[in-house]
Amino acid sequence: MFSKILIANRGEIAVRVIRTARRMGVRTVAVYSDADANALHVAMADEAVHIGPSPVSESYLRGDRIIEAAKATGAEAIHPGYGFLSENPDFVDQVEAAGLVFIGPSAASIRAMGLKDAAKRLMESADVPVVPGYHGEAQDIVVLASKAREIGYPVLIKARAGGGGKGMRRVEHPDDFPDALSGARREAKAAFGDDRVLVEKYVEKPRHIEVQVFGDNFGNAVHLFERDCSAQRRHQKVIEEAPAPGMTAEMRKAMTDAAVKAAKAISYSGAGTIEFIVDTSDGLRPDRFWFMEMNTRLQVEHPVTEMITGVDLVEWQLRVAAGEKLPKSQEEIALSGHAFEARIYAEDPQRDFLPAIGTLHHLSFPIQAPAGSTMRIETGVRQGDAISPYYDPMIAKLVVHAEDRHSALGALATALKNTEIAGSVTNIAFLAALAEDADFAAGDVDTGLIGRKQAALTETPQPDATIVARAGLAASGMHGVSSDDPWASLTGYSHFHPIERQVSLHRGTEELKAGVTAPGNGRYTVRLDGSQSIGLTQADLAGTVTWPGHVAVFAAGIAYTFAVPDPFASAAEAEAGAGSMRAPMPGLVKLVRAAQGDAVKKGQPLLILEAMKMEHTIAAQHDGVIADIASEGAQVTDGTVLVRFVEEAGA
Ligand code: ADP
Ligand code: ADP
Ligand code: MG
């Protein structure tokens, strides 16, 4: 076994790898960028090396610096985690040329599977079923459009270098093909530096079922059952589970056989995943699943497999890379119970899951696993850390295991509702709603489930009067005053009317006013908008969190956040004009579709902002005439005015 390894990654996966390495007595070296100087993975590792500025191209993608760091610290091997350099065969070559071990498959295996088109051609020749489509070399729009017609609409355009659901467009109708193609190409170019695409049949009522495989350097390959990852938004997984609901022995055999065959076809060594797309319009049928791609690395959702098999996949990765045989044979790998993973993201479900950023002023996970379950929390952040625009906005993965699917899903919902995060908008309430959705609970899942029910799943109830009152009390600062404070003695002095402190709470465009008084004895009265009065006590402050300019109240798994504006800071706001539109996050203005003086209609796309590796269309919020619009290529920060409208007379 190695005595020291370097982890070429950050966040939860770096932390995850360090944990197993430590248990095995292997010392660890972390690498970090400027933004991560105080990150958890750095604190946890035995040693840490700074590798550059915050952008990934200058740090976590700098293979040369990472290899230098490994040599300087005496690490013998490099674990790439997922993302970043994990599927980069040139990096593997460089690692090996430096006399180090890459903890993962060979460069040849990664090359064979790295591009979706080539991988599909290879799998066809290995007799693994592949989605019908065009995965040839031609990139001409005329050729691609005619292939799309041959395949039959709807089709899916995919970046051949794709990953993370990026560079993908579903096309319903030939008329939409040109726009979809240029969108997919732009996104692919930005994310992967390669704008070549393939076109394939869009499978109906699709389920994403993948098989975890593992190979060693002695020609052995096994599977560790399947995971269902059909709960997706933006073609990206949000809740994964193992085993797949409704899986039959016949279907499992067909899928795992195909997966092991695929792994053996490339003499695969290490952890890998064969992703299949399954047409479930007629239930799970062994002749209705197709190879989609192979991920030649550890997968984000690997913990659900660990939960049902009891195998530590990172331990296996280290053992296999160190030259050991697979620790278990196929017969020795057994499946027990059911596991779920929910990915908690900084993102706004109500704005189509737009990625978000922020400082996590409050971060609290359940202390205990819900009754009858075991729980794992995988995170790379601590309270006070920031979700920055530089990296993936995942905050944590909540993983639960129980005897059966029903109990595991119940435990997942409970654990989610007991997770409190403030400082960034998150998808927790959405995940909890999904965990309690009747169709999801029935195991009736397909990749369109979230899209069909998006409005209901992302609906946030309006805060009731008590929640607003609690927010008002917490924001007022009245509770913090000690008895020898002159203010406290004044408010508690019964000869006078207790002094009322005014708090202005903003939720979206709505302003709520709360008048807080403290008659004494730890009691408070909150008057809302002049009428309703609500009595509260010190105990009502539990589940409230404040930080500069904000207050949040947690209730039943929902974080109700209010802005508490500084009354002196609103001049700039007013100057920008009521109708102006601001950048929701830092990014690059990619495309501008309107000009000064244009009269635009509500909903009309005005520009495309590329932020956090995605394209966000900024559409007009109302009808109006454009006074000013950002220019193409401009780098903007969070809150920069992108579009200013001509003020209407009298408006
Ligand atoms: P997995 O297949 O392991 O579940 P995904 O399909 O969600 O992972 O994403 C594919 C890869 O892209 C992963 O390696 C993941 O780390 C990476 N990835 C996903 N989202 C982002 C992002 N916003 N920025 C950078 N990398 C990402
Ligand atoms: P990525 O590399 O971004 O993970 P994949 O090829 O694995 O790309 O596809 C991501 C997701 O897109 C799948 O999990 C599935 O939901 C959807 N998808 C991919 N191919 C198809 C298809 N042919 N028909 C329907 N849905 C598909
Ligand atoms: Mg995939």
Side-chain angles (χ1 to χ4, degrees):
M1 186 43 56
F2 309 113
S3 61
K4 194 193 268 190
I5 63 170
L6 178 143
I7 296 125
N9 215 300
R10 63 178 302 283
E12 67 90 16
I13 193 60
V15 170
R16 158 78 192 87
V17 173
I18 292 170
R19 208 185 307 126
T20 288
R22 173 151 307 161
R23 186 174 55 70
M24 294 173 70
V26 176
R27 290 168 46 78
T28 53
V29 181
V31 292
Y32 64 95
S33 66
D34 286 351
D36 281 338
N38 297 310
L40 181 59
H41 76 280
V42 173
M44 276 183 64
D46 295 310
E47 289 166 72
V49 180
H50 176 250
I51 48 168
S54 305
V56 295
S57 58
E58 296 171 54
S59 52
Y60 297 105
L61 291 178
R62 286 293 301 265
D64 53 342
R65 293 208 183 138
I66 289 169
I67 291 169
E68 242 170 67
K71 292 210 287 198
T73 54
E76 304 141 67
I78 297 184
H79 193 301
Y82 54 69
F84 298 140
L85 296 165
S86 63
E87 294 180 284
N88 183 327
D90 298 336
F91 178 64
V92 179
D93 285 337
Q94 288 151 14
V95 169
E96 289 172 356
L100 304 167
V101 176
F102 179 76
I103 303 175
S106 66
S109 291
I110 299 178
R111 281 199 182 96
M113 291 295 184
L115 297 173
K116 290 182 204 289
D117 50 357
K120 282 178 174 148
R121 296 197 291 262
L122 176 71
M123 288 297 107
E124 269 171 346
S125 64
D127 222 14
V128 173
V130 169
V131 192
Y134 175 72
H135 18 85
E137 290 290 334
Q139 290 298 313
D140 186 71
I141 182 165
V142 180
V143 178
L144 293 177
S146 89
K147 293 288 177 190
R149 247 178 237 276
E150 265 169 47
I151 296 162
Y153 282 84
V155 298
L156 193 65
I157 303 174
K158 269 186 197 180
R160 64 170 202 159
K166 292 182 202 74
M168 207 179 286
R169 293 285 191 283
R170 178 192 159 130
V171 197
E172 296 287 337
H173 192 271
D175 290 351
D176 304 329
F177 193 86
D179 266 0
L181 180 63
S182 48
R185 277 184 174 154
R186 255 200 325 273
E187 206 169 291
K189 184 80 189 165
F192 317 109
D194 178 348
D195 67 358
R196 277 166 289 182
V197 299
L198 55 122
V199 183
E200 62 187 36
K201 177 80 194 152
Y202 190 86
V203 174
E204 294 301 335
K205 201 150 194 296
R207 262 172 79 176
H208 173 123
I209 301 181
E210 57 186 35
V211 177
Q212 175 73 54
V213 293
F214 224 107
D216 64 17
N217 299 317
F218 304 92
N220 302 305
V222 296
H223 72 82
L224 292 99
F225 303 101
E226 78 283 354
R227 296 183 284 256
D228 191 304
C229 312
S230 302
Q232 304 183 344
R233 47 103 187 81
R234 286 200 253 106
H235 301 297
Q236 212 191 14
K237 306 153 185 174
V238 276
I239 293 187
E240 302 100 335
E241 61 180 304
M247 182 53 85
T248 61
E250 187 196 18
M251 183 76 172
R252 177 173 290 145
K253 175 151 186 4
M255 295 189 78
T256 54
D257 279 355
V260 172
K261 189 156 46 166
K264 287 197 164 154
I266 53 167
S267 308
Y268 195 76
S269 167
T273 295
I274 313 287
E275 295 191 332
F276 295 106
I277 189 98
V278 186
D279 176 342
T280 63
S281 51
D282 261 334
L284 291 177
R285 289 182 36 177
D287 60 346
R288 296 273 177 89
F289 74 88
W290 299 278
F291 171 87
M292 200 159 44
E293 65 166 340
M294 179 172 191
N295 292 325
T296 51
R297 54 174 161 86
L298 193 67
Q299 201 96 339
V300 176
E301 60 275 19
H302 75 278
V304 292
T305 299
E306 298 186 320
M307 291 292 233
I308 60 157
T309 58
V311 167
D312 181 333
L313 291 168
V314 173
E315 177 184 338
W316 281 31
Q317 285 189 298
L318 264 57
R319 292 199 182 286
V320 164
E324 296 181 27
K325 285 194 171 157
L326 283 182
K328 285 188 176 183
S329 68
Q330 190 66 68
E331 294 66 43
E332 289 168 327
I333 303 167
L335 188 166
S336 152
H338 203 102
F340 281 96
E341 170 184 282
R343 301 190 191 186
I344 298 174
Y345 279 100
E347 66 180 19
D348 190 349
Q350 293 198 310
R351 289 158 80 190
D352 206 18
F353 306 102
L354 187 69
I357 52 174
T359 298
L360 304 175
H361 293 283
H362 179 75
L363 179 66
S364 149
F365 295 105
I367 299 162
Q368 275 187 328
S373 73
T374 49
M375 178 178 70
R376 253 170 80 173
I377 289 156
E378 301 285 340
T379 186
V381 289
R382 295 164 292 192
Q383 183 163 302
D385 287 350
I387 300 298
S388 77
Y390 300 110
Y391 315 115
D392 189 285
M394 190 163 75
I395 300 170
K397 306 186 303 201
L398 212 150
V399 191
V400 296
H401 178 262
E403 211 169 72
D404 54 48
R405 186 172 191 270
H406 177 77
S407 322
L409 193 53
L412 182 71
T414 303
L416 283 165
K417 288 182 179 177
N418 289 310
T419 300
E420 299 179 349
I421 299 177
S424 169
V425 59
T426 77
N427 65 344
I428 294 178
F430 159 77
L431 292 169
L434 181 57
E436 291 187 326
D437 178 77
D439 290 337
F440 192 67
D444 186 11
V445 292
D446 68 84
T447 61
L449 177 77
I450 291 175
R452 284 194 300 277
K453 298 190 154 188
Q454 192 160 332
L457 292 172
T458 58
E459 189 178 32
T460 309
Q462 284 306 304
D464 64 22
T466 308
I467 286 171
V468 178
R470 288 168 65 198
L473 172 58
S476 72
M478 297 279 274
H479 56 280
V481 281
S482 65
S483 56
D484 52 2
D485 185 307
W487 173 267
S489 56
L490 184 64
T491 55
Y493 198 64
S494 58
H495 284 234
F496 297 97
H497 285 299
I499 288 173
E500 186 178 270
R501 206 175 270 187
Q502 285 293 336
V503 182
S504 163
L505 302 167
H506 292 240
R507 212 176 140 71
T509 52
E510 200 183 359
E511 184 185 355
L512 302 155
K513 286 201 165 72
V516 185
T517 47
N521 295 329
R523 303 196 160 273
Y524 305 93
T525 304
V526 184
R527 202 168 46 80
L528 296 180
D529 283 338
S531 55
Q532 213 174 352
S533 272
I534 292 178
L536 296 176
T537 68
Q538 201 71 25
D540 289 302
L541 286 164
T544 68
V545 181
T546 59
W547 66 97
H550 293 87
V551 59
V553 179
F554 297 100
I558 297 168
Y560 297 94
T561 303
F562 303 85
V564 187
D566 175 348
F568 303 105
S570 53
E573 200 53 42
E575 194 197 340
S580 63
M581 295 171 57
R582 292 164 180 279
M585 59 180 62
L588 174 74
V589 178
K590 233 6 214 309
L591 213 118
V592 177
R593 292 223 182 127
Q596 195 176 7
D598 284 0
V600 297
K601 291 264 169 236
K602 180 178 173 180
Q604 182 178 331
L606 301 181
L607 57 85
I608 291 175
L609 181 70
E610 186 195 297
M612 302 185 88
K613 298 201 178 124
M614 298 217 0
E615 288 191 348
H616 308 280
T617 301
I618 307 289
Q621 281 165 345
H622 49 79
D623 295 357
V625 176
I626 293 179
D628 209 354
I629 188 160
S631 37
E632 244 168 66
Q635 278 287 351
V636 298
T637 62
D638 192 9
T640 303
V641 175
L642 294 174
V643 183
R644 213 189 299 269
F645 287 92
V646 173
E647 300 279 334
E648 310 231 348

